[in-house]
Amino acid sequence: MGRITLLLIGLGIGLASCQSDPDPVYDLLIDNGHVVDARNGVDQVMDVALLDGRIARVSPEIDPEQATQRIDATGLYVAPGLINPHGHYFTGPRIGADDGGFSGAFASGFSSVSPDNFTLRNGITTVVDAGTSGWRNVEQFKENVVDPSTTRVLAFLNIVGYGMLDHNHNQRVEDMDVERTVAALEEHDDWLVGTKIGHFYSPDWTPFERAQQAARESGTRLFVECHLPELPMGEILERLEEGDILTHIYGAVHDREHILNQEGRVRPDMIAARERGVFFDTGHGGVSFHYDLAAPALEQGFLPDAFGTDLHRFSMNAGMKNMLNVMSKFMNLGMDPSDLLSRATWGTAKMVGREDLGHLSEGAVADIAILNLKEGSFGFVDSGGERLQGDRIWEAEVTLREGRVVWDLNGLAARPWQEDDVQR
């Protein structure tokens, strides 16, 4: 055998070696998880590959050798990052109003909570603030919360200029400026998704009409929080149009009419509003979720479009706990796990007008929740202090935001530690 032949054989061996050990194609592979992606009709075990913070590929089988990092999601659910459409996150330095200076309970106040403290550990990658700021303090909310948060923060803008500063300001019709609200919505249309009306205690329809007008002129959504005791629920429902949102739908609270009529049936005007394209959010909160209403409504097929928690300092320490706890309540009341995940992701994204979120399409941002559906004996408390005994509960194993691991309960994305690794 000549030297040239040997040289060619050697080169061939070298080339074959290079071809059998290619450079990784993906940054991360989530392997063998039960993927639920409602937009793309996926509800089965699949692999999900990520590259540069985006979804690169979803397939029944992707070679692990093609990824730099791998997370084994066997036995777990893999879904787009959950979206909580109802919470209060306006933390930061307190400010005074222009007429005297006092601090509010929610707007830059003590009752709001920082999103990153409560979202990522629950598989949530996007939240929507429920009107805690208004046109007067929206810039401060952006500076305090939107810009520095790892969680994606969207918001409904309160029709009240100072947002949820305090009860007295909530009643000031003169501070409900349509023109300035629309201007703020248009200036920050990358994260403001609509207007909010609530916590108004008068038979005057002006606040409702101004909030709805601002939503229409800006091409966004109207979010109605229902603390409107002197405005009849029937007329509120008649005024709601396609795309508008009503929250706190399963609450038996003194300042609102609830979902069931005297015969224990879901109100016909609720059903009619849904048929017109109105959305209905859970809005659990501290006082707004009762099994006596939720269970009959679910049995009659009136399911929530979203699982807004109404997260704040009080609700998280009461029956609500967190979004996964709320979703677990509905699961133990009979809802299907995949349906729950679909509504908490793609369904909620559509509700708030952000269809770039809530799915795992190729090229979409890699916001992902890897969840464990645990079996055992668990108690779930409603706003009336009543316990539902259940046998399943959701728990977040891993949360990824733009492809980066931001929560890892059991180290599924971490390198195994070996005692031999200790430097001696």
Side-chain angles (χ1 to χ4, degrees):
M1 185 178 295
R3 293 178 59 189
I4 294 177
T5 303
L6 289 171
L7 179 62
L8 290 173
I9 291 173
L11 287 172
I13 292 172
L15 289 171
S17 175
C18 291
Q19 291 170 354
S20 64
D21 188 22
D23 291 333
V25 178
Y26 307 114
D27 297 327
L28 175 66
L29 177 66
I30 302 172
D31 207 11
N32 297 319
H34 184 145
V35 175
V36 177
D37 177 5
R39 177 179 177 177
N40 294 298
V42 179
D43 187 6
Q44 65 184 77
V45 174
M46 300 281 274
D47 295 345
V48 181
L50 313 183
L51 180 65
D52 296 332
R54 297 275 169 179
I55 305 296
R57 185 183 172 197
V58 180
S59 174
E61 187 172 354
I62 300 174
D63 184 0
E65 296 299 323
Q66 292 185 309
T68 301
Q69 185 181 8
R70 173 177 175 262
I71 295 176
D72 183 1
T74 301
L76 304 174
Y77 280 83
V78 178
L82 305 183
I83 303 172
N84 185 353
H86 186 167
H88 297 283
Y89 306 100
F90 194 170
T91 58
R94 296 187 176 192
I95 60 169
D98 58 359
D99 63 348
F102 53 82
S103 299
F106 287 94
S108 191
F110 195 52
S111 292
S112 289
V113 298
S114 177
D116 289 351
N117 295 359
F118 305 98
T119 54
L120 308 175
R121 61 179 50 242
N122 287 294
I124 300 166
T125 54
T126 299
V127 297
V128 188
D129 183 88
T132 318
S133 66
W135 59 267
R136 289 185 183 274
N137 52 11
V138 66
E139 296 294 343
Q140 187 197 5
F141 178 63
K142 182 177 186 295
E143 180 180 349
N144 287 7
V145 180
V146 177
D147 292 344
S149 295
T150 297
T151 309
R152 178 186 295 100
V153 179
L154 311 176
F156 294 103
L157 192 65
N158 205 310
I159 191 60
V160 180
Y162 280 108
M164 297 176 67
L165 190 62
D166 72 354
H167 173 78
N168 291 331
H169 272 75
N170 287 340
Q171 315 312 308
R172 293 187 178 181
V173 176
E174 65 273 16
D175 201 36
M176 303 175 187
D177 191 306
V178 173
E179 183 178 352
R180 287 178 169 144
T181 300
V182 170
L185 288 163
E186 291 177 344
E187 181 179 356
H188 299 293
D189 62 357
D190 55 331
W191 60 274
L192 289 178
V193 298
T195 60
K196 176 263 186 77
I197 179 62
H199 300 273
F200 183 71
Y201 298 86
S202 167
D204 185 359
W205 281 94
T206 302
F208 186 98
E209 292 168 349
R210 290 185 183 178
Q212 193 167 48
Q213 181 184 349
R216 299 294 174 264
E217 291 185 11
S218 61
T220 61
R221 306 288 205 265
L222 173 67
F223 186 86
V224 180
E225 198 172 1
C226 286
H227 297 286
L228 304 166
E230 298 190 47
L231 301 183
M233 179 60 72
E235 191 169 346
I236 290 175
L237 289 165
E238 287 178 3
R239 290 174 179 241
L240 294 178
E241 301 175 8
E242 181 179 1
D244 291 340
I245 304 162
L246 184 69
T247 190
H248 296 318
I249 61 171
Y250 303 114
V253 186
H254 72 280
D255 65 357
R256 75 199 73 149
E257 300 171 57
H258 59 66
I259 189 173
L260 303 181
N261 61 22
Q262 292 183 343
E263 290 74 41
R265 306 295 299 176
V266 175
R267 297 171 55 127
D269 48 9
M270 286 267 191
I271 297 171
R274 169 162 278 176
E275 291 173 349
R276 293 198 310 274
V278 175
F279 292 100
F280 292 88
D281 172 52
T282 301
H284 190 302
V287 298
S288 297
F289 180 82
H290 295 82
Y291 292 130
D292 288 346
L293 299 181
L298 265 60
E299 289 173 3
Q300 295 169 45
F302 203 92
L303 277 60
D305 292 302
F307 303 101
T309 62
D310 190 13
L311 175 67
H312 50 75
R313 179 168 62 101
F314 305 106
S315 65
M316 71 184 192
N317 291 312
M320 188 277 290
K321 306 293 190 298
N322 56 59
M323 186 171 174
L324 290 179
N325 193 276
V326 173
M327 292 168 61
S328 298
K329 292 173 183 177
F330 283 96
M331 181 170 55
N332 285 282
L333 286 172
M335 285 189 67
D336 175 74
S338 293
D339 187 22
L340 281 161
L341 293 178
S342 297
R343 292 170 186 267
T345 54
W346 177 234
T348 307
K350 290 190 294 181
M351 186 181 83
V352 300
R354 287 296 301 263
E355 296 186 17
D356 56 318
L357 305 176
H359 56 89
L360 301 176
S361 304
E362 184 176 330
V365 63
D367 290 356
I368 298 175
I370 303 178
L371 305 175
N372 188 0
L373 184 52
K374 300 180 68 175
E375 296 183 354
S377 179
F378 310 100
F380 302 97
V381 182
D382 74 356
S383 297
E386 296 191 312
R387 184 184 71 250
L388 168 70
Q389 199 63 33
D391 58 8
R392 294 180 296 175
I393 192 170
W394 291 107
E395 184 175 69
E397 282 286 348
V398 180
T399 305
L400 296 103
R401 174 78 171 93
E402 294 184 332
R404 183 170 64 92
V405 175
V406 291
W407 169 255
D408 189 356
L409 180 63
N410 288 298
L412 297 185
R415 297 187 305 274
W417 175 78
Q418 301 292 336
E419 188 173 359
D420 293 342
D421 294 339
V422 177
Q423 298 296 320
R424 300 184 185 280

